C-alpha cells in the first residue's frame, strides 16, 4: 500500500534497484509523474500508460526519454487499431503481422462446412495445406499446441501462420466467405469509438449510438463526416432494429459496460449481422464471450500487457504478442551462430513441450517450416508457446 508519487514510498519499495518501473494507473498524469520520479531515483527503465496521442509522436520521443520515460502505451488507440483490423478482414477472429508483415498469424473459427479440415488429424493434411502451419488450436477455452496426432473438430478456433500471398486461401479452406464492411453500427461514444471512426476508410457508412445526450453533442465535433450520431441506448433489439441494424455488415459495442457489449453483440448476431466486435474489460467474461460466438473481443488490459511483455523480454525477442486470451505467446527470435537450433533438422531437435515453430524469414524471404527444415544462423524464426515455455524456447536459439 502506498502512493507511486511519494518519494518516501518509492524509496521504501526499493525503487533504486528496480530494472523496470511500470505506471499503469487510470490517471495519465500520475503515471507520467511516477515514471519521472522512479527514473530519477534509480529505476533503469520506465513504462507509462497514457491517454494523449501527441506523446507518442516520433518527434516527442527524445523529449520523454530525457524526462526518464522509455516507453508509453495508449490502450484506446491500440484497441481502435485492432477493431479496424478485425473489420478489414471480417471472416477472421485474429490477424497479427509478424516479421514486419512477411508472416501472418490468423485465427479462424472452424464450422461443419470446413470439410477439408473437420474431423481430420493434422498428419492427414497434405498438398495445398503445406502453405500453412497450424500453430495452435483453441477448444473449450483450452489451448493446444498441436502435434500430428491432434484432430480438428467443428467449433475449434484454429491459429494458422502463412505468408502474405497465401492468406486468402485460408478463407476457402476454412469455408469462410470474404465480404467488405461498408455499413457499420457502433454502440457507445467512447474514446475507442472515436479513434475507430477516425481510422476507418472515409467511404464506410457509420451509425454511432450514444445514450448520453451531452456526449452526442461533443461527438459531433470530433467525428468525421461519414459518421451519423444517434441519441439512443442501443442495448435492446428493438432500438437496434429501429436504427436499421438489419442493413449492417458489422456491429461494434464499445461502451464501458462489458455485459451490455456482449448482450448487444448477441442481439446484433440474432438480427443477421455477420461480424460483431465487443469490448470486454471484465476478465471473467472473456472466455464466455468467445464461446457465445462473438466475432472479435477487445480487452485494453491484455493489449497493454502484451506491450509491457514485449518491452520486458530480451532484445532478440523483437515482437511478442500475447495470443488472444489463449495464454499463448508468439515471438520472433533470431537464431545465433552455433546455437542448438541450427545444428540439425527440426524433426531431430527435441523442442520443449508446448512449443512449435510457425515460420521463418531468411534473407528477407518468408518460408514455412516443416520437419525437414534446417534453421540457419541469423534466420528470424516465429515461435509459438504456451504458458511459460518461451524462456525454454529462447535457450535453443542462443
Amino acid at each position: 500500500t502506498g502512493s507511486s508519487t511519494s518519494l518516501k514510498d518509492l524509496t521504501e519499495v526499493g525503487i533504486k534497484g528496480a530494472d523496470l518501473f511500470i505506471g499503469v494507473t487510470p490517471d495519465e498524469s500520475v503515471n507520467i509523474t511516477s515514471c519521472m520520479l522512479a527514473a530519477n531515483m534509480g529505476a533503469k527503465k520506465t513504462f507509462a500508460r497514457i491517454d494523449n496521442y501527441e506523446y507518442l509522436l516520433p518527434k516527442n520521443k527524445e523529449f520523454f526519454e530525457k524526462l526518464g520515460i522509455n516507453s508509453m502505451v495508449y490502450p484506446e488507440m491500440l484497441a481502435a487499431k485492432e477493431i479496424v483490423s478485425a473489420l478489414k478482414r471480417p471472416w477472421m477472429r485474429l490477424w497479427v503481422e509478424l516479421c514486419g508483415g512477411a508472416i501472418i498469424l490468423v485465427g479462424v473459427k472452424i464450422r461443419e462446412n470446413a470439410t477439408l479440415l473437420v474431423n481430420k488429424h493434422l498428419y492427414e493434411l497434405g498438398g495445398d495445406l503445406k502453405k500453412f502451419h497450424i500453430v495452435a488450436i483453441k477448444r473449450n477455452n483450452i489451448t493446444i499446441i498441436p502435434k500430428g496426432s491432434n484432430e480438428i473438430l467443428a467449433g475449434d478456433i484454429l491459429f494458422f501462420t502463412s505468408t502474405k500471398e497465401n492468406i486468402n486461401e485460408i478463407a476457402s479452406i476454412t469455408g469462410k466467405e470474404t465480404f467488405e464492411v461498408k455499413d457499420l453500427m457502433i454502440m457507445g461514444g467512447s474514446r475507442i469509438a472515436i479513434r475507430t471512426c477516425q481510422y476507418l476508410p472515409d467511404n464506410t457508412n457509420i451509425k454511432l449510438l450514444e445514450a448520453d445526450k451531452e456526449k452526442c453533442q461533443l461527438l459531433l465535433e470530433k467525428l468525421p463526416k461519414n459518421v451519423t450520431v444517434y441519441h439512443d441506448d442501443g442495448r435492446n433489439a428493438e432500438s437496434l432494429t429501429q436504427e436499421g441494424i438489419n442493413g449492417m455488415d458489422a456491429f461494434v459495442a464499445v461502451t464501458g459496460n462489458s455485459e451490455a457489449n456482449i448482450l448487444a453483440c448477441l442481439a446484433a448476431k440474432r438480427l443477421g449481422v455477420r461480424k460483431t466486435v465487443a469490448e470486454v474489460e471484465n476478465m471473467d467474461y472473456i472466455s464466455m464471450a468467445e464461446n457465445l460466438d462473438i466475432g472479435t473481443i477487445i480487452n485494453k488490459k491484455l493489449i497493454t500487457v502484451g506491450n509491457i511483455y514485449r518491452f520486458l523480454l530480451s532484445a532478440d525477442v523483437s515482437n511478442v504478442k500475447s495470443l488472444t486470451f489463449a495464454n499463448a505467446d508468439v515471438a520472433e527470435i533470431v537464431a545465433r551462430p552455433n546455437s542448438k537450433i541450427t545444428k540439425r533438422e527440426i524433426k531431430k531437435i527435441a523442442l520443449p513441450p508446448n512449443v512449435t515453430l510457425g515460420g521463418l524469414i531468411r534473407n528477407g524471404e518468408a518460408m514455412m517450416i516443416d520437419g525437414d527444415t534446417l534453421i540457419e544462423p541469423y534466420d528470424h524464426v516465429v515461435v509459438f508457446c504456451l504458458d511459460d515455455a518461451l524462456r525454454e524456447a529462447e535457450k535453443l536459439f542462443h
Side-chain angles (χ1 to χ4, degrees):
T1 308
S3 162
S4 60
T5 54
S6 153
L7 300 177
K8 177 174 155 289
D9 290 352
L10 288 171
T11 307
E12 274 176 18
V13 296
I15 195 68
K16 199 174 176 184
D19 295 317
L20 176 63
F21 177 87
I22 300 171
V24 282
T25 75
D27 187 329
E28 173 189 76
S29 51
V30 169
N31 299 336
I32 294 276
T33 309
S34 308
C35 284
M36 285 162 62
L37 294 173
N40 283 295
M41 290 169 77
K44 292 191 187 70
K45 289 253 189 248
T46 67
F47 184 104
R49 180 205 159 284
I50 57 160
D51 313 320
N52 188 334
Y53 174 67
E54 241 187 332
Y55 292 176
L56 290 172
L57 297 173
K59 62 177 185 183
N60 297 329
K61 191 173 164 48
E62 203 180 318
F63 170 73
F64 283 103
E65 285 273 359
K66 278 186 184 141
L67 292 176
I69 299 157
N70 306 97
S71 189
M72 291 179 279
V73 63
Y74 178 7
E76 285 80 5
M77 186 181 94
L78 295 176
K81 285 187 171 164
E82 292 215 358
I83 292 170
V84 171
S85 172
L87 295 174
K88 227 192 219 167
R89 308 169 186 91
W91 56 277
M92 302 177 190
R93 288 286 175 109
L94 176 81
W95 164 282
V96 180
E97 298 192 5
L98 303 161
C99 304
I103 291 177
I104 310 291
L105 166 68
V106 176
V108 185
K109 183 146 190 176
I110 302 300
R111 305 195 188 280
E112 293 286 356
N113 66 344
T115 47
L116 287 171
L117 297 171
V118 172
N119 301 331
K120 297 271 199 321
H121 294 88
L122 262 60
Y123 66 76
E124 297 177 72
L125 307 177
D128 267 2
L129 295 166
K130 283 277 185 234
K131 296 174 187 170
F132 318 108
H133 184 55
I134 295 171
V135 292
I137 299 173
K138 186 155 188 205
R139 180 178 300 153
N140 304 331
N141 301 330
I142 292 165
T143 306
I144 305 156
I145 296 281
K147 304 270 180 282
S149 57
N150 285 98
E151 189 181 3
I152 297 166
L153 305 178
D156 286 351
I157 297 175
L158 294 191
F159 295 97
F160 296 85
T161 47
S162 185
T163 53
K164 217 164 200 166
E165 55 273 16
N166 293 325
I167 277 299
N168 284 335
E169 289 185 40
I170 293 180
S172 55
I173 286 164
T174 53
K176 300 285 180 187
E177 277 179 58
T178 57
F179 64 96
E180 199 181 338
V181 172
K182 283 258 200 276
D183 294 292
L184 167 69
M185 188 179 281
I186 299 178
M187 180 174 106
S190 62
R191 276 205 300 245
I192 296 179
I194 295 166
R195 286 263 163 227
T196 302
C197 293
Q198 290 166 345
Y199 292 151
L200 282 165
D202 297 342
N203 61 354
T204 315
N205 174 27
I206 305 170
K207 289 184 174 183
L208 192 148
L209 314 182
E210 169 52 55
D212 181 325
K213 199 164 191 178
E214 280 177 31
K215 211 170 181 184
C216 287
Q217 294 298 331
L218 293 169
L219 285 167
L220 289 170
E221 295 161 25
K222 291 183 180 174
L223 292 168
K225 297 210 170 13
N226 55 324
V227 185
T228 315
V229 178
Y230 293 83
H231 176 224
D232 197 331
D233 194 336
R235 285 187 203 199
N236 57 42
E238 203 178 307
S239 61
L240 290 178
T241 308
Q242 221 169 338
E243 302 303 0
I245 189 82
N246 305 52
M248 293 294 145
D249 301 312
F251 178 80
V252 174
V254 284
T255 72
N257 182 325
S258 298
E259 296 98 316
N261 294 342
I262 292 169
L263 291 170
C265 281
L266 289 176
K269 263 260 154 68
R270 230 184 19 250
L271 294 164
V273 178
R274 291 160 81 181
K275 175 72 179 180
T276 57
V277 180
E279 180 191 357
V280 181
E281 291 304 332
N282 185 327
M283 302 297 264
D284 301 335
Y285 292 166
I286 284 175
S287 55
M288 178 186 83
E290 283 197 319
N291 291 337
L292 286 170
D293 216 20
I294 287 166
T296 299
I297 290 155
I298 298 290
N299 178 288
K300 287 186 301 195
K301 293 186 195 80
L302 286 162
I303 291 171
T304 309
V305 167
N307 257 269
I308 295 171
Y309 193 51
R310 188 157 67 206
F311 189 64
L312 271 173
L313 283 157
S314 62
D316 280 338
V317 184
S318 58
N319 185 358
V320 170
K321 174 107 184 167
S322 283
L323 190 54
T324 54
F325 329 119
N327 63 21
D329 298 307
V330 43
E332 211 179 292
I333 309 181
V334 180
R336 294 260 172 247
N338 293 322
S339 56
K340 222 183 230 173
I341 201 85
T342 59
K343 295 281 195 277
R344 44 179 55 177
E345 293 97 335
I346 293 298
K347 62 185 174 195
K348 294 179 185 164
I349 292 173
L351 289 175
N354 285 343
V355 170
T356 187
L357 309 180
L360 63 84
I361 303 286
R362 181 176 295 160
N363 305 325
E365 199 177 325
M367 302 152 90
M368 290 292 98
I369 291 177
D370 59 24
D372 298 318
T373 306
L374 180 65
I375 288 174
E376 295 179 6
Y378 307 111
D379 282 352
H380 283 245
V381 183
V382 176
V383 181
F384 286 79
C385 10
L386 275 193
D387 307 320
D388 298 324
L390 190 53
R391 296 274 178 224
E392 287 303 303
E394 266 190 281
K395 289 175 190 163
L396 292 170
F397 288 82
H398 289 256

